[in-house]
Amino acid sequence: MMRDLLTPEAQRDPYVWSAVLIAHAGLGVAGWAMVGWWAVLVYGAFEAAQALAARRLLFWDSVLDACGFACGALLAASIWAHDGWLSAAAIVACACIAFAGALARR
């Protein structure tokens, strides 16, 4: 199972695509809670290492994963700062990305 999760893939199913985005947002929340904004840099390095290990770069898969992770980190930071508007913006941004990606795959 872990190998499947760590393999870059261009999800064609709209529900799977959205679920992957939301899962990465959850990872962003957890990453920010553990190490703060450093988590975004660490995650970026992980994406690069993953592409090298798989010997292929699926650019848009990496962009999706990174956007989800960054939205999650932003959500965690905004909740910590008690900034309701920024929290709402992070949720709306993630929802818009999920909606647009799911719509494009229908």
Side-chain angles (χ1 to χ4, degrees), residues 68-91:
F69 192 93
C71 283
L74 180 61
L75 178 61
S78 64
I79 290 171
W80 183 262
H82 303 287
D83 188 339
W85 287 107
L86 192 55
S87 296
I91 292 168

Side-chain angles (χ1 to χ4, degrees), residues 12-24:
R12 308 234 185 272
D13 181 83
Y15 299 108
V16 173
W17 193 88
S18 297
V20 167
L21 175 70
I22 300 304
H24 280 83

Side-chain angles (χ1 to χ4, degrees), residues 12-95:
R12 308 234 185 272
D13 181 83
Y15 299 108
V16 173
W17 193 88
S18 297
V20 167
L21 175 70
I22 300 304
H24 280 83
L27 291 172
V29 168
W32 188 89
M34 288 189 297
V35 295
W37 287 112
W38 287 104
V40 176
L41 295 175
V42 169
Y43 186 77
F46 172 77
E47 278 291 324
Q50 179 184 11
L52 289 173
R55 292 194 172 106
R56 67 182 184 149
L57 172 65
L58 293 177
F59 180 75
W60 290 114
D61 176 64
S62 294
V63 168
L64 167 69
D65 296 351
C67 284
F69 192 93
C71 283
L74 180 61
L75 178 61
S78 64
I79 290 171
W80 183 262
H82 303 287
D83 188 339
W85 287 107
L86 192 55
S87 296
I91 292 168
V92 168
C94 198

